[in-house]
Amino acid sequence: MSSPIITQHEIIALVTPHFNASATTSFIDPFRVANYLSGRNKFSWTLVSENGGGIEASNGMLIETAPVKDVNESNPWLVLVSSSWTPERYTSHELRNLFQKWWRSGAIIGGLDTGAIILANAGMLKGKTATVHYEHIDAFIEIAPDTDVSENMFVQDDRIFTCCGGTASTDAGLRLVHAVAGESIANATARYLFHHEVRGEGRSQNPKVVEPMGYVTSGVVRAAIDLMEAHLETTLSIPEIAERLGVSQRQLSRLFDQYVYKSPVAYYRDIRLDRARGLVTQTELKFSEIAAASGFNSQVHFSRAYNQRFGLTPSADRIEGRVPFEFRAWPMYKPDLKSDADASRSASP
């Protein structure tokens, strides 16, 4: 009788309610393909949750999981934490102890999407560099002041890696396959998945040259947006931005209308409100602090603008925004974007 093949690299994937199923399976699939192409059961994986049973993903799919207590005595090669909505709810004393135990045993620890927030709350990211999905970057900065927050797609710091999720999860999985199985299997796995470019560290979550569908944004518009994003708290006036870029205010407005279909004032206001929404729904900061951090001098003005953009007040959104709305789109843009943008043209940022 032949001896059974012993799996050498065990992966424990801890998922939380409303995790991103696509990002999680995108991370795991390279290991499945590597097993298939190499003809060896080199990798195995177990999906677990705190209490086990069916866990509903953010797209409504129900995924069956084992309870985390079933893997308490495991010594895995890699532990992945995959979460999306309300990650701050899922750092129990038991999980914290498990992460510390697995770390001491030499395991690689990873966070997917907002998984880094769970790891930070468990004390795993102190003094380290990490990333989360860009929607949660500002909240992560507030939640983890002792962590260097990166906007890159993937960050490796010692035996801890964090990834923003989405298709970047495949890149993260392929890098780990390469580390264990070598270049030949990693390349074959990438080809099998039609993932023809494996992106590494240093790649931004939001490349600024070419839009995803291939359209090139005006360099002036991109530079203006960079200035806006760098001055969300202490805002610049649109004339100041135009002067810094060496263009007239009229030309800047024309370019914004052409490329982003709204005025510079409206665009600037909206990205400040988008930042505010992340802080409202993902932190416990006072609304007055959030208003100031988003460039609003008046909390009344902030609340009015917030309600106009998202259809509810900051206080109502702090409650509703922490529950995954029946998979509603985010942000909740008002239906009539054109009239909303037109109404903002005369407003000041």
Side-chain angles (χ1 to χ4, degrees), residues 17-337:
H18 305 291
F19 73 104
N20 189 295
S22 175
T24 307
T25 56
S26 292
F27 177 81
I28 292 172
D29 226 26
F31 302 104
R32 173 192 68 85
V33 174
N35 282 349
Y36 170 67
L37 294 178
S38 66
R40 297 179 59 198
N41 193 21
K42 184 173 283 290
F43 303 100
S44 68
W45 48 92
T46 304
L47 264 66
V48 303
S49 62
E50 196 156 11
N51 298 311
I55 298 294
E56 188 174 15
S58 60
N59 60 6
M61 294 176 64
L62 196 65
I63 307 295
E64 194 63 29
T65 64
V68 74
K69 65 180 178 60
D70 285 3
V71 295
N72 279 0
E73 302 306 316
S74 297
N75 289 308
W77 166 65
L78 186 151
V79 176
L80 177 74
V81 183
S82 180
S83 64
S84 184
W85 290 100
T86 60
E88 71 280 358
R89 295 180 180 176
Y90 306 109
T91 312
S92 66
H93 182 68
E94 291 74 18
L95 284 180
R96 182 187 181 101
N97 286 342
L98 261 181
F99 293 143
Q100 297 289 348
K101 169 185 172 293
W102 284 328
W103 174 256
R104 289 194 300 271
S105 73
I108 298 168
I109 308 288
L112 202 61
D113 199 340
T114 62
I117 293 176
I118 294 177
L119 294 178
N121 287 338
M124 303 297 297
L125 298 182
K126 187 174 294 186
K128 296 193 177 297
T129 302
T131 191
V132 292
H133 190 286
Y134 69 81
E135 180 181 348
H136 301 266
I137 287 284
D138 290 316
F140 189 32
I141 291 170
E142 298 293 336
I143 290 167
D146 54 3
T147 300
D148 184 10
V149 178
S150 168
E151 294 190 23
N152 288 342
M153 297 171 64
F154 180 89
V155 175
Q156 179 92 35
D157 192 333
D158 195 8
R159 282 186 286 115
I160 291 184
F161 74 89
T162 49
C163 175
C164 64
T167 61
S169 307
T170 302
D171 298 275
L174 285 166
R175 284 166 58 93
L176 289 160
V177 166
H178 179 267
V180 171
E183 187 169 340
S184 178
I185 289 296
N187 280 331
T189 299
R191 285 195 298 270
Y192 191 92
L193 293 170
F194 301 103
H195 201 79
H196 296 140
E197 180 194 2
V198 180
R199 298 164 294 187
E201 290 187 74
R203 293 291 289 269
S204 170
Q205 294 183 32
N206 290 296
K208 297 177 179 180
V209 179
V210 179
E211 293 296 316
M213 298 304 293
Y215 304 112
V216 179
T217 302
S218 158
V220 171
V221 171
R222 184 67 260 172
I225 291 172
D226 287 346
L227 283 173
M228 292 174 181
E229 290 176 342
H231 296 84
L232 295 177
E233 184 170 352
T234 305
T235 59
L236 301 173
S237 69
I238 300 305
E240 281 182 290
I241 292 174
E243 183 179 358
R244 290 193 184 197
L245 298 178
V247 298
S248 69
Q249 188 175 344
R250 182 175 179 179
Q251 182 184 1
L252 186 64
S253 295
R254 180 180 59 78
L255 289 170
F256 264 77
D257 283 340
Q258 178 182 349
Y259 287 100
V260 298
Y261 309 113
K262 60 177 69 175
S263 70
V265 167
Y267 189 91
Y268 200 0
R269 179 208 59 186
D270 286 351
I271 62 174
R272 287 159 47 217
L273 287 168
D274 289 348
R275 178 183 198 236
R277 186 161 200 263
L279 296 175
V280 165
T281 60
Q282 299 161 24
T283 74
E284 298 293 339
L285 288 174
K286 295 178 181 178
F287 295 139
S288 58
E289 295 174 327
I290 294 173
S294 307
F296 291 90
N297 296 324
S298 161
Q299 190 173 339
V300 173
H301 178 207
F302 166 65
S303 295
R304 186 183 300 119
Y306 195 101
N307 197 359
Q308 181 184 19
R309 178 156 172 79
F310 302 118
L312 70 175
T313 63
S315 56
D317 203 19
R318 174 152 282 179
I319 298 170
E320 294 186 25
R322 290 173 182 242
V323 178
F325 22 86
E326 224 11 66
F327 315 124
R328 59 184 172 170
W330 185 93
M332 294 189 300
Y333 294 108
K334 296 185 71 176
D336 189 0
L337 287 175

